[in-house]
Amino acid sequence: MNRPGIVRPPIAVLAAWLLLAGCTGMSPRTPATPPIAGAAVERPGVFRSESGCRIATRLYRPARSAGDDLVVLAPGFLRDQSRLRDLARALAAHGFPTLTLNPCAGRLWSGRQVRNGADMRTIAHRLGARRIVYGGFSAGALSALVAARLD
């Protein structure tokens, strides 16, 4: 029932707003997990891709390392590595050195998961990793599959 003086937005406007809110991270965040025993040491870094792009990374080193193993994680579309912080800390606390990164080709207009996968592989090898697990969320998972295939 419509009442005089009440303006209701069209359903398409509401749907578009919800889509943008979800993609831009305006949705409610989950609370941070409490510190984990054997917490990792975080070390930020920057690598240059073969295309010249600067890739911001964060390496989580466990108290006891499993040699030259490395887990490399990439975030999903329109996300950054901060979304993977809790997972990276948990993996490192269990002995797995973990690297998170902000891919270069993560913008709406690029969609270059092949480039991102190649960058993931290059960074892992520059760090001297021999046994590598590539992972990610959403578009980051697609980049991880590409990295694993290239490796």
Side-chain angles (χ1 to χ4, degrees), residues 59-142:
L59 182 62
Y60 299 81
R61 287 254 180 230
R64 287 192 208 171
S65 181
D68 51 5
D69 296 347
L70 182 65
V71 177
V72 182
L73 299 174
F77 178 65
L78 293 178
R79 301 288 193 247
D80 67 10
Q81 63 182 319
S82 67
R83 294 288 183 136
L84 300 167
R85 180 181 299 127
D86 291 340
L87 175 59
R89 286 178 178 162
L91 287 168
H94 286 88
F96 300 101
T98 304
L99 179 91
T100 61
L101 57 92
N102 288 333
C104 288
R107 302 287 185 253
L108 178 61
W109 51 87
S110 63
R112 297 184 183 157
Q113 278 68 40
V114 173
R115 168 75 351 228
N116 292 339
D119 290 341
M120 289 173 75
R121 180 189 175 279
T122 300
I123 291 170
H125 286 276
R126 284 183 191 168
L127 291 172
R130 299 273 184 244
R131 294 186 335 161
I132 307 164
V133 174
Y134 298 102
F137 174 76
S138 189
L142 180 55

